Amino acid sequence: MCRWLAYRGTPVLLETLLYQPAHSLIDQSLHSKMGVETTNGDGFGIGWYSEHTGTPALLREIGPAWNNRNLRELADHVASPLFFAHIRASTGTAVQQSNCHPFRHGRWMFMHNGAIAGFPLLRRELTLLVDPALYADIEGTTDSEVMFYLALTHGLDDDPPAAVARMAGVVERVGREHGVEHPLQMTLALTDGERVWVFRYSTARASRSLFYSSRVDALRRLHPDVAFLRGVSEETRLVVSEPLGDLPGAWNEVPENSYGVVQPGADELHRFAPAAV
């Protein structure tokens, strides 16, 4: 499947987190330790926000991240307070630019690791449940993008956790109507440019790995010699498919069937369950 990273906090160069850590996302594109596949080379994507616009910029390519010169060049020169990064291992859909994450709609950005089981069987019905006003904006052929547009259909602008719960409920209902025992596997992240919501859930209660970073103030006390921690605010937070290194006390597993909110002030962690629609 895939690996991803979501960052919110003090503006940093993308290079700081994409390349510098011992087990950076670039390293994970070749040497994933916790993914289904060791290699994630079926494309990549970066999305970020700047102070000049409310919509995110995207760079998405179909080649592997580990040797992309444009990504290397960009990462050395672009800083952002909020960015998503994703490396892809296809679950069967085509390797093409429109299938690379993150996906964008207006101010929203979305990325996913996992799959809708039996998606070729379910694709037509699920896609037809997308709001007709949104349907024309779907560019690719992935289950992930359909999940995003179903969440938009079910009220993402008004209540993101409820919209994702309704999306998950729709996927599970349609899957079971077609005889799929465990329709949904997801760790996903979405953002409106201010807050970041992350979800870990699977129908089988055996979700893919997901971790969040500890509070910066606690990490400073544990590791006063780490320069990165001295330069970022106490609200800085990372959520990752697998830890970027082995710094003691730095990483916490997101509980099974839960979602978190990274936001100004206190972050939140809640239970998650699909909603019947």
Side-chain angles (χ1 to χ4, degrees), residues 42-60:
D42 295 327
F44 70 87
I46 311 293
W48 69 95
Y49 294 82
S50 72
E51 62 182 0
H52 306 297
T53 177
T55 59
L58 294 183
L59 171 69
R60 299 188 295 176

Side-chain angles (χ1 to χ4, degrees), residues 98-99 103 137-149:
S98 58
N99 284 347
F103 302 102
D137 294 329
I138 298 175
E139 295 183 337
T141 60
T142 63
D143 49 357
S144 303
E145 191 175 17
V146 171
M147 290 167 62
F148 180 31
Y149 277 84

Side-chain angles (χ1 to χ4, degrees), residues 126-136 138 149-150 152-154:
L126 288 174
T127 304
L128 290 176
L129 293 173
V130 171
D131 185 335
L134 297 168
Y135 180 86
I138 298 175
Y149 277 84
L150 284 170
L152 287 163
T153 296
H154 286 284

Side-chain angles (χ1 to χ4, degrees), residues 146-248:
V146 171
M147 290 167 62
F148 180 31
Y149 277 84
L150 284 170
L152 287 163
T153 296
H154 286 284
L156 189 60
D157 283 324
D158 301 319
D159 188 337
V164 173
R166 294 184 194 110
M167 174 275 289
V170 167
V171 171
E172 292 195 329
R173 174 178 59 78
V174 172
R176 285 166 175 157
E177 288 172 353
H178 288 79
V180 179
E181 183 180 6
H182 298 301
L184 186 57
Q185 172 72 244
M186 68 178 200
T187 63
L188 65 85
L190 59 93
T191 181
D192 60 359
E194 295 291 332
R195 292 181 287 175
V196 177
W197 292 263
V198 297
F199 298 79
R200 185 179 186 223
Y201 173 80
S202 63
T203 313
R205 308 299 191 266
S207 301
R208 303 300 180 227
S209 59
L210 194 65
F211 297 83
Y212 64 94
S213 61
S214 297
R215 288 177 54 90
V216 169
D217 54 351
L219 287 173
R220 284 187 188 132
R221 291 193 293 271
L222 285 172
H223 306 286
D225 56 328
V226 176
F228 173 79
L229 297 172
R230 295 196 299 270
V232 295
S233 73
E234 293 188 0
E235 290 194 343
T236 295
R237 187 82 74 170
L238 275 160
V239 184
V240 297
S241 293
E242 55 188 79
L244 304 184
D246 57 2
L247 192 69

Side-chain angles (χ1 to χ4, degrees), residues 199-201 207-208 210-212 252-260 269-272:
F199 298 79
R200 185 179 186 223
Y201 173 80
S207 301
R208 303 300 180 227
L210 194 65
F211 297 83
Y212 64 94
N252 312 274
E253 186 175 17
V254 176
E256 182 75 41
N257 301 345
S258 65
Y259 77 91
L269 187 63
H270 303 279
R271 297 295 294 169
F272 176 81

